[in-house]
Amino acid sequence: MSEILIAETLGTTRLITMNRPQARNALGDGLIPALYAALVAADEDPDVHVVVLTGADPAFCAGVDLKEAARGGKKYFDQFQDTNAVSQVSRMRTPVIGAVNGPAFTGGLEIALGCDFLIASERAVFADTHVRVGVLPGGGLTAHLPLFVGIGNARRMSMTGAVVDAAEALRIGLVTEVVPHAELRDRALAVAASVGEVDPRMMRGLKKVYADGIATYTGPASAAEARGTIETPPAFAEIEQRRVEVMAGNRARLGADRG
């Protein structure tokens, strides 16, 4: 059986690959703690100056494993409070570059938004389908997405569930660069090597300045997400059926866009 997560050290770069390709790298109960542990380990390693986060083809991350969530209900989410991999990405002191190789949907989009910036394959697509499957965002999406794309585009993505392709993601500022799929790994590692040349103490200081500068917005926004989940709890009984409907809609939309 292959590893559920692969962590490689390449010079001063730690390349972390989510490796559940058969489940489109959905955040199941094995991948969540594994990803959390890998991120914490990278952040605590003085020899790691930068992290590149990606997924095994064909997807970056499909978000929370909704099959498991539907079976486990609230207890499924509660078990990860101390190993929240989604939140850990944005808490990293070490710079994190997201190399988005395919679909980054819902919780997968939240992981991407926790990165400092994103480089995308031409195959990358993005969508926020939280409300369509019966849950509110809880991993910082409403705090971070507007910072990338503006409040109007953020609300439009969340309210419509529209699938945004790589070219559109570049246009609205969600990603910084789009490259041919076969070149994504090398390009992300090259950019990471450039970041890694800087004194890590200074780079962490720079990252903290950026984080502190937006904290007056992201802090209250994240608190509002937490309140929202309490006030409008997930519709656990309906998640599985809604998941099937959303997946069918996404496949139809992607097929129409690429047909």
Side-chain angles (χ1 to χ4, degrees), residues 54-119:
T54 192
D57 285 342
F60 177 75
C61 178
V64 169
D65 191 319
L66 292 174
K67 290 183 179 180
E68 294 182 10
R71 290 194 299 267
K74 184 176 182 297
K75 291 182 180 179
Y76 177 80
F77 292 94
D78 287 347
Q79 67 180 316
F80 303 119
Q81 290 304 306
D82 295 330
T83 57
N84 190 325
V86 177
S87 298
Q88 180 59 30
V89 180
S90 62
R91 288 198 300 261
M92 296 282 285
R93 296 170 299 158
T94 307
V96 183
I97 300 171
V100 185
N101 56 302
F105 286 178
T106 314
L109 176 58
E110 287 182 311
I111 284 180
L113 293 170
C115 299
D116 291 289
F117 59 88
L118 304 174
I119 300 172

XYZ file of all heavy atoms in Angstrom, residues 54-119:
481
model
N 1.431 20.019 -2.517
C 0.752 19.626 -3.747
C -0.023 18.333 -3.513
O -0.077 17.810 -2.399
C 1.764 19.474 -4.904
O 1.074 19.364 -6.146
C 2.661 18.254 -4.708
N -0.660 17.837 -4.572
C -1.408 16.589 -4.490
C -0.972 15.637 -5.579
O -0.425 16.046 -6.605
N -1.200 14.347 -5.352
C -0.924 13.349 -6.376
C -2.011 13.443 -7.446
O -3.201 13.546 -7.125
C -0.900 11.954 -5.762
N -1.625 13.428 -8.699
C -2.608 13.511 -9.790
C -3.681 12.435 -9.640
O -3.381 11.333 -9.160
C -1.895 13.337 -11.139
C -1.120 14.583 -11.555
O -1.401 15.670 -11.008
O -0.233 14.467 -12.418
N -4.930 12.774 -9.979
C -5.339 13.887 -10.831
C -5.809 15.127 -10.101
O -6.255 16.081 -10.750
C -6.514 13.279 -11.606
C -7.173 12.398 -10.589
C -6.044 11.805 -9.789
N -5.759 15.186 -8.780
C -6.339 16.310 -8.043
C -5.343 16.904 -7.070
O -4.386 16.241 -6.645
C -7.595 15.863 -7.293
N -5.581 18.144 -6.699
C -4.874 18.755 -5.578
C -5.514 18.256 -4.283
O -4.889 17.537 -3.510
C -4.948 20.282 -5.665
C -4.296 20.995 -4.515
C -2.918 21.078 -4.426
C -5.067 21.590 -3.526
C -2.304 21.736 -3.359
C -4.471 22.258 -2.461
C -3.090 22.329 -2.373
N -6.770 18.593 -4.070
C -7.499 18.086 -2.907
C -8.984 18.354 -3.099
O -9.382 19.486 -3.376
C -7.000 18.749 -1.627
S -7.889 18.218 -0.140
N -9.784 17.311 -2.934
C -11.231 17.427 -3.108
C -11.940 17.914 -1.861
O -13.164 18.017 -1.835
C -11.816 16.070 -3.526
N -11.186 18.219 -0.810
C -11.800 18.686 0.422
C -12.024 17.558 1.405
O -11.446 16.477 1.283
N -12.853 17.817 2.390
C -13.173 16.807 3.401
C -13.785 15.586 2.725
O -14.555 15.707 1.769
C -14.143 17.383 4.446
C -14.698 16.291 5.344
C -13.441 18.445 5.286
N -13.429 14.397 3.212
C -14.022 13.168 2.695
C -15.473 13.106 3.179
O -15.764 12.739 4.318
C -13.243 11.952 3.203
C -13.638 10.670 2.496
O -14.848 10.477 2.267
O -12.754 9.864 2.179
N -16.388 13.499 2.308
C -17.787 13.646 2.719
C -18.464 12.308 2.981
O -19.458 12.247 3.715
C -18.558 14.441 1.663
C -18.141 15.912 1.559
C -18.838 16.593 0.399
C -18.424 16.655 2.859
N -17.948 11.243 2.414
C -18.496 9.919 2.742
C -18.257 9.624 4.217
O -19.150 9.176 4.931
C -17.850 8.837 1.869
C -18.253 8.873 0.409
C -17.611 7.723 -0.339
C -18.012 7.731 -1.809
N -17.381 6.610 -2.555
N -17.036 9.891 4.689
C -16.718 9.673 6.089
C -17.470 10.662 6.977
O -17.945 10.304 8.058
C -15.212 9.799 6.306
C -14.404 8.712 5.614
C -12.915 8.840 5.886
O -12.529 9.657 6.755
O -12.130 8.128 5.238
N -17.571 11.909 6.524
C -18.266 12.921 7.317
C -19.748 12.587 7.473
O -20.328 12.782 8.545
C -18.110 14.288 6.662
N -20.357 12.078 6.412
C -21.769 11.730 6.484
C -22.009 10.601 7.480
O -23.013 10.595 8.195
C -22.279 11.337 5.102
N -21.057 9.656 7.538
C -21.198 8.541 8.487
C -20.927 8.981 9.922
O -21.595 8.540 10.854
C -20.233 7.409 8.111
C -20.591 6.665 6.839
C -19.795 5.375 6.734
N -18.363 5.604 6.679
C -17.660 5.732 5.555
N -18.278 5.657 4.391
N -16.345 5.921 5.590
N -19.947 9.861 10.102
C -19.524 10.211 11.452
C -20.238 11.399 12.060
O -20.225 11.569 13.275
N -20.833 12.263 11.213
C -21.526 13.429 11.730
C -20.581 14.373 12.466
O -19.400 14.501 12.147
N -21.096 15.028 13.498
C -20.329 16.030 14.234
C -19.058 15.430 14.839
O -18.016 16.092 14.893
C -21.195 16.646 15.326
C -20.512 17.780 16.085
C -21.470 18.413 17.077
C -20.811 19.588 17.800
N -19.662 19.180 18.609
N -19.137 14.182 15.280
C -17.969 13.548 15.894
C -16.809 13.453 14.906
O -15.646 13.483 15.299
C -18.333 12.162 16.406
C -19.267 12.166 17.608
C -19.543 10.746 18.077
C -20.473 10.745 19.284
N -20.768 9.363 19.737
N -17.128 13.324 13.618
C -16.072 13.233 12.601
C -15.230 14.509 12.595
O -13.999 14.462 12.558
C -16.688 12.998 11.220
C -15.666 12.962 10.110
C -14.915 11.818 9.868
C -15.415 14.091 9.323
C -13.953 11.794 8.870
C -14.471 14.066 8.326
C -13.740 12.920 8.102
O -12.789 12.906 7.121
N -15.901 15.666 12.641
C -15.179 16.936 12.622
C -14.515 17.231 13.959
O -13.413 17.775 14.005
C -16.139 18.072 12.243
C -16.629 18.005 10.818
C -17.818 17.384 10.500
C -15.880 18.555 9.793
C -18.261 17.323 9.195
C -16.308 18.500 8.479
C -17.505 17.871 8.175
N -15.188 16.855 15.049
C -14.645 17.145 16.378
C -13.314 16.449 16.633
O -12.457 16.989 17.346
C -15.646 16.720 17.450
C -16.847 17.649 17.523
O -16.788 18.740 16.917
O -17.853 17.283 18.164
N -13.124 15.263 16.036
C -11.905 14.500 16.329
C -10.645 15.163 15.797
O -9.534 14.808 16.189
C -12.024 13.083 15.768
C -12.048 13.020 14.244
C -12.172 11.604 13.704
O -11.499 10.702 14.187
N -13.036 11.408 12.727
N -10.807 16.151 14.910
C -9.639 16.781 14.308
C -9.354 18.177 14.859
O -8.560 18.912 14.288
C -9.815 16.855 12.787
C -10.058 15.530 12.144
C -11.229 15.299 11.445
C -9.143 14.500 12.273
C -11.466 14.064 10.868
C -9.382 13.263 11.703
C -10.549 13.045 10.987
N -10.015 18.536 15.958
C -9.808 19.877 16.505
C -8.347 20.130 16.862
O -7.845 21.245 16.702
C -10.702 20.078 17.740
C -12.178 20.169 17.420
C -12.490 21.273 16.426
O -12.133 22.421 16.628
N -13.141 20.920 15.331
N -7.661 19.106 17.345
C -6.265 19.278 17.753
C -5.273 18.982 16.636
O -4.066 19.185 16.807
C -5.956 18.385 18.957
C -6.746 18.784 20.197
O -7.061 19.980 20.329
O -7.065 17.900 21.003
N -5.755 18.480 15.520
C -4.877 18.178 14.368
C -5.505 18.733 13.098
O -5.641 18.040 12.097
C -4.635 16.663 14.225
O -5.913 15.998 14.105
C -3.881 16.108 15.416
N -5.877 19.997 13.150
C -6.575 20.624 12.029
C -5.580 20.993 10.939
O -4.928 22.044 10.988
C -7.341 21.857 12.513
C -8.282 22.399 11.452
O -7.989 22.352 10.270
N -9.418 22.910 11.888
N -5.472 20.122 9.949
C -4.489 20.327 8.889
C -4.812 21.555 8.053
O -3.909 22.253 7.579
C -4.426 19.088 7.992
N -6.100 21.840 7.858
C -6.495 22.991 7.040
C -5.999 24.282 7.691
O -5.364 25.123 7.038
C -8.023 23.023 6.851
C -8.433 24.264 6.072
C -8.497 21.764 6.124
N -6.275 24.448 8.979
C -5.847 25.661 9.678
C -4.333 25.737 9.829
O -3.749 26.822 9.834
C -6.499 25.723 11.063
O -7.899 25.795 10.950
N -3.681 24.577 9.944
C -2.238 24.565 10.149
C -1.491 25.181 8.974
O -0.447 25.807 9.153
C -1.733 23.141 10.404
C -0.239 23.021 10.635
C 0.271 23.820 11.823
O -0.456 24.030 12.791
N 1.519 24.262 11.756
N -2.009 25.024 7.769
C -1.340 25.602 6.600
C -1.171 27.106 6.787
O -0.088 27.670 6.586
C -2.111 25.297 5.302
C -1.391 25.912 4.106
C -2.257 23.796 5.096
N -2.239 27.779 7.183
C -2.172 29.238 7.327
C -1.433 29.670 8.587
O -1.033 30.835 8.700
C -3.582 29.834 7.322
O -4.350 29.354 8.401
N -1.238 28.746 9.543
C -0.506 29.086 10.768
C 1.002 28.902 10.625
O 1.762 29.241 11.528
C -0.990 28.220 11.938
C -2.362 28.571 12.460
C -2.559 27.981 13.849
N -2.443 26.525 13.852
C -3.480 25.698 13.833
N -4.709 26.174 13.770
N -3.299 24.387 13.850
N 1.451 28.364 9.515
C 2.875 28.061 9.348
C 3.730 29.314 9.427
O 3.411 30.350 8.830
C 3.095 27.377 7.998
C 2.416 26.023 7.868
S 3.300 24.707 8.721
C 4.679 24.444 7.598
N 4.849 29.227 10.169
C 5.837 30.303 10.184
C 6.713 30.225 8.931
O 7.222 31.232 8.451
C 6.701 30.189 11.432
C 5.956 30.373 12.755
C 6.847 30.010 13.918
N 7.270 28.609 13.838
C 8.336 28.099 14.435
N 9.134 28.890 15.138
N 8.636 26.827 14.318
N 6.880 29.013 8.417
C 7.660 28.765 7.207
C 6.816 29.101 5.982
O 5.633 28.758 5.933
C 8.076 27.287 7.154
O 8.736 26.935 8.368
C 8.983 27.003 5.973
N 7.386 29.752 4.967
C 6.623 30.025 3.748
C 6.106 28.738 3.115
O 6.805 27.714 3.090
C 7.648 30.711 2.839
C 8.646 31.309 3.770
C 8.738 30.353 4.918
N 4.877 28.789 2.610
C 4.252 27.641 1.956
C 3.786 28.055 0.569
O 2.994 28.992 0.422
C 3.050 27.105 2.754
C 2.473 25.865 2.064
C 3.448 26.779 4.189
N 4.281 27.351 -0.438
C 3.861 27.573 -1.825
C 2.927 26.430 -2.215
O 3.280 25.258 -2.066
C 5.064 27.615 -2.775
C 6.013 28.751 -2.384
C 4.610 27.759 -4.223
C 7.339 28.730 -3.126
N 1.752 26.755 -2.703
C 0.833 25.735 -3.175
C 1.054 25.469 -4.649
O 1.039 26.392 -5.461
N 1.308 24.209 -5.004
C 1.455 23.796 -6.404
C 0.183 23.042 -6.765
O 0.055 21.846 -6.481
C 2.688 22.924 -6.591
N -0.769 23.744 -7.352
C -2.113 23.197 -7.570
C -2.142 22.473 -8.908
O -2.135 23.096 -9.967
C -3.180 24.303 -7.505
C -4.576 23.694 -7.609
C -3.042 25.100 -6.208
N -2.190 21.160 -8.834
C -2.054 20.312 -10.021
C -3.383 19.883 -10.626
O -3.415 19.290 -11.704
C -1.262 19.052 -9.660
C -1.908 18.296 -8.512
O -2.088 18.869 -7.427
N -2.254 17.032 -8.720
N -4.490 20.155 -9.940
C -5.804 19.713 -10.418
C -6.882 20.356 -9.574
O -6.666 21.416 -8.978
N -8.054 19.731 -9.457
C -9.143 20.327 -8.685
C -8.760 20.613 -7.235
O -8.168 19.774 -6.556
C -10.240 19.257 -8.766
C -9.979 18.552 -10.062
C -8.484 18.504 -10.172
N -9.112 21.823 -6.785
C -8.985 22.233 -5.382
C -10.363 22.727 -4.972
O -10.714 23.882 -5.230
C -7.936 23.328 -5.222
N -11.144 21.838 -4.398
C -12.535 22.142 -4.119
C -12.791 22.228 -2.618
O -12.315 21.407 -1.829
C -13.455 21.075 -4.715
C -13.608 21.147 -6.218
C -14.381 20.224 -6.883
C -12.975 22.128 -6.955
C -14.533 20.283 -8.271
C -13.107 22.194 -8.329
C -13.897 21.274 -8.995
N -13.549 23.215 -2.205
C -14.101 23.349 -0.860
C -12.988 23.292 0.184
O -12.210 24.229 0.282
C -15.202 22.290 -0.655
O -16.043 22.299 -1.821
C -16.081 22.609 0.535
N -12.877 22.221 0.983
C -11.793 22.146 1.950
C -10.429 22.162 1.280
O -9.448 22.661 1.849
N -10.340 21.626 0.069
C -9.099 21.686 -0.687
C -8.764 23.108 -1.092
O -7.592 23.508 -1.117
N -9.802 23.891 -1.404
C -9.595 25.307 -1.695
C -9.128 26.034 -0.437
O -8.255 26.902 -0.505
C -10.890 25.923 -2.224
C -10.873 27.436 -2.497
C -9.792 27.813 -3.490
C -12.243 27.892 -2.995
N -9.683 25.672 0.728
C -9.245 26.287 1.975
C -7.766 26.004 2.242
O -7.029 26.890 2.704
C -10.102 25.784 3.138
C -11.503 26.365 3.125
C -12.340 25.918 4.300
O -12.376 24.697 4.572
O -12.962 26.779 4.933
N -7.330 24.779 1.961
C -5.909 24.457 2.126
C -5.069 25.330 1.198
O -4.051 25.898 1.597
C -5.656 22.967 1.838
C -6.128 22.114 3.026
C -4.178 22.696 1.567
C -5.918 20.639 2.845
N -5.494 25.449 -0.053
C -4.754 26.270 -1.009
C -4.672 27.722 -0.540
O -3.619 28.366 -0.632
C -5.406 26.186 -2.383
N -5.773 28.233 0.000
C -5.808 29.619 0.447
C -4.927 29.861 1.662
O -4.548 30.995 1.941
C -7.249 30.030 0.762
C -8.202 30.105 -0.425
C -9.638 30.274 0.058
C -7.810 31.232 -1.376
N -4.591 28.808 2.395
C -3.683 28.947 3.527
C -2.240 29.128 3.103
O -1.408 29.565 3.909
N -1.933 28.791 1.849
C -0.574 28.958 1.331
C -0.283 30.440 1.120
O -1.189 31.263 0.981
C -0.418 28.210 0.010
S -0.676 26.414 0.111
N 0.979 30.782 1.062
C 1.360 32.180 0.848
C 1.036 32.633 -0.565
O 0.611 33.775 -0.767
C 2.843 32.364 1.152
C 3.121 32.216 2.635
O 2.728 33.119 3.395
O 3.689 31.188 3.040
N 1.231 31.765 -1.529
C 0.791 32.034 -2.896
C 0.728 30.716 -3.647
O 1.239 29.688 -3.187
C 1.686 33.063 -3.607
C 3.144 32.687 -3.719
C 3.606 31.950 -4.805
C 4.058 33.093 -2.760
C 4.941 31.615 -4.920
C 5.409 32.767 -2.866
C 5.846 32.026 -3.950
N 0.069 30.773 -4.809
C -0.216 29.555 -5.559
C 0.353 29.622 -6.968
O 0.272 30.657 -7.644
C -1.735 29.334 -5.659
C -2.508 29.268 -4.339
C -4.010 29.192 -4.619
C -2.048 28.088 -3.501
N 0.916 28.492 -7.389
C 1.301 28.276 -8.785
C 0.417 27.146 -9.285
O 0.262 26.122 -8.607
C 2.791 27.906 -8.902
C 3.654 29.040 -8.341
C 3.165 27.603 -10.355
C 5.141 28.687 -8.244
